[in-house]
Amino acid sequence: MKKILIVSDNPKLTTFLKQEVIPKIYGIDCKFCYSKINKTPFKMQQLGAEEIDIKIKDADFARQYDVIFSLHCKQIFPPEIVNNTVCINVHPGLNPYNRGWFPQVFSIINKLPTGATIHLMNEDVDAGDIIVQKEAIITDIDTSLDVYEKVQNIEIELLSDWFERIAFGNYETYSPNMVGNYNSIKEFSELCNLNLEHVGTFKEHIDMLRALSHGDYKNAYFISEEGVKVYVSVSLSKEDF
């Protein structure tokens, strides 16, 4: 019996695994957890997941499992975990482009490819050998949320095809052909603080705003003359014919 730990802060991917994938696989025992820093854990709790602080777990904990999956886990796995069992990251980006936080946001702005990647984890963020990946196509009217939904659909497709193979070790890997680039949460926060004096084309400004528009999230803002934050988002649609 293969013991699998799935650490996820993404209810959509978790629901798909629990309902559509795992029931069809014989010989695995899966436990679901969500990260301690998840500020909205209710949906994960409804799915039967337990809280975990993966950053404080040690090598003995890691060795209890044959494979540990990260599905959009909000915590970075420590060396004690990734060096003592097989750790797999389901990452919403096309490694090695825009590794790190919110790949779709930076891809809209810097025009680097995005998509979904399933890869081995090592001590560097989103830098391990790749098992499988697929690109998502960004159009010129996609917001961050639009691209993220495309990426999640690709992740579901890849999990459907690869989860069982990965659980039983039936896969090969290849190394990224370059180091790529990394974006931090600090860089994202700096993007959100709009510079009203910035000089650029309308296209550049629209790209910036759609990259920071993600449903109901309040991301982009400027500081008004009264000293308060004013949030900005855009909605784009094509003409109906």
Side-chain angles (χ1 to χ4, degrees):
M1 182 70 68
K2 293 287 186 179
K3 292 194 66 177
I4 311 294
L5 174 63
I6 300 166
V7 186
S8 174
D9 291 308
N10 185 297
K12 181 175 181 177
L13 297 181
T14 303
T15 299
F16 176 74
L17 274 183
K18 291 199 74 170
Q19 295 182 357
E20 303 296 332
V21 177
I22 291 173
K24 301 174 183 177
I25 303 173
Y26 176 77
I28 62 173
D29 177 19
C30 294
K31 178 179 180 179
F32 286 85
C33 291
Y34 61 89
S35 68
K36 183 178 181 179
I37 63 173
N38 187 335
K39 296 180 180 179
T40 55
F42 179 67
K43 289 183 179 179
M44 292 302 303
Q45 292 168 347
Q46 285 184 310
L47 291 167
E50 302 174 7
E51 181 182 283
I52 189 172
D53 187 352
I54 197 71
K55 293 187 72 173
I56 66 171
K57 297 300 183 181
D58 58 16
D60 289 337
F61 174 85
R63 295 189 192 106
Q64 296 178 54
Y65 298 96
D66 295 291
V67 186
I68 300 178
F69 282 86
S70 169
L71 268 65
H72 297 207
C73 175
K74 296 179 182 294
Q75 290 183 299
I76 295 174
F77 283 27
E80 291 79 9
I81 300 297
V82 300
N83 292 330
N84 286 284
T85 195
V86 177
C87 291
I88 304 292
N89 188 25
V90 180
H91 173 63
L94 198 74
N95 293 353
Y97 305 107
N98 289 323
R99 296 164 30 240
W101 289 85
F102 309 130
Q104 80 281 354
V105 171
F106 292 93
S107 287
I108 291 172
I109 295 170
N110 62 27
K111 309 309 176 188
L112 292 174
T114 196
T117 303
I118 300 180
H119 67 93
L120 292 173
M121 298 173 71
N122 57 25
E123 293 187 27
D124 295 323
V125 177
D126 303 330
D129 287 353
I130 296 168
I131 298 172
V132 64
Q133 62 180 183
K134 183 176 179 179
E135 186 173 355
I137 303 303
I138 301 176
T139 74
D140 57 5
I141 66 167
D142 283 337
T143 65
S144 168
L145 180 59
D146 294 327
V147 181
Y148 186 66
E149 288 176 344
K150 290 180 181 181
V151 169
Q152 284 190 105
N153 289 336
I154 292 173
E155 289 175 316
I156 285 173
E157 176 187 335
L158 296 182
L159 284 169
S160 179
D161 292 339
W162 286 87
F163 183 83
E164 182 174 5
R165 282 187 266 182
I166 293 170
F168 289 98
N170 300 324
Y171 60 88
E172 296 181 354
T173 65
Y174 62 94
S175 299
N177 58 12
M178 60 181 175
V179 175
N181 63 306
Y182 172 82
N183 302 300
S184 67
I185 188 65
K186 181 173 182 279
E187 289 171 298
F188 173 74
S189 298
E190 290 170 351
L191 281 180
C192 291
N193 186 358
L194 300 175
N195 176 9
L196 297 184
E197 304 302 321
H198 180 267
V199 177
T201 66
F202 272 115
K203 177 173 174 52
E204 289 171 337
H205 290 147
I206 290 172
D207 284 348
M208 174 70 74
L209 292 178
R210 67 190 180 95
L212 296 172
S213 296
H214 197 98
D216 294 331
Y217 282 88
K218 293 183 177 180
N219 292 330
Y221 68 92
F222 63 90
I223 305 299
S224 72
E225 293 181 358
E226 293 78 21
V228 298
K229 285 184 179 181
V230 178
Y231 291 97
V232 182
S233 64
V234 296
S235 174
L236 305 171
S237 60
K238 289 186 175 180
E239 178 184 11
D240 292 329
F241 292 98

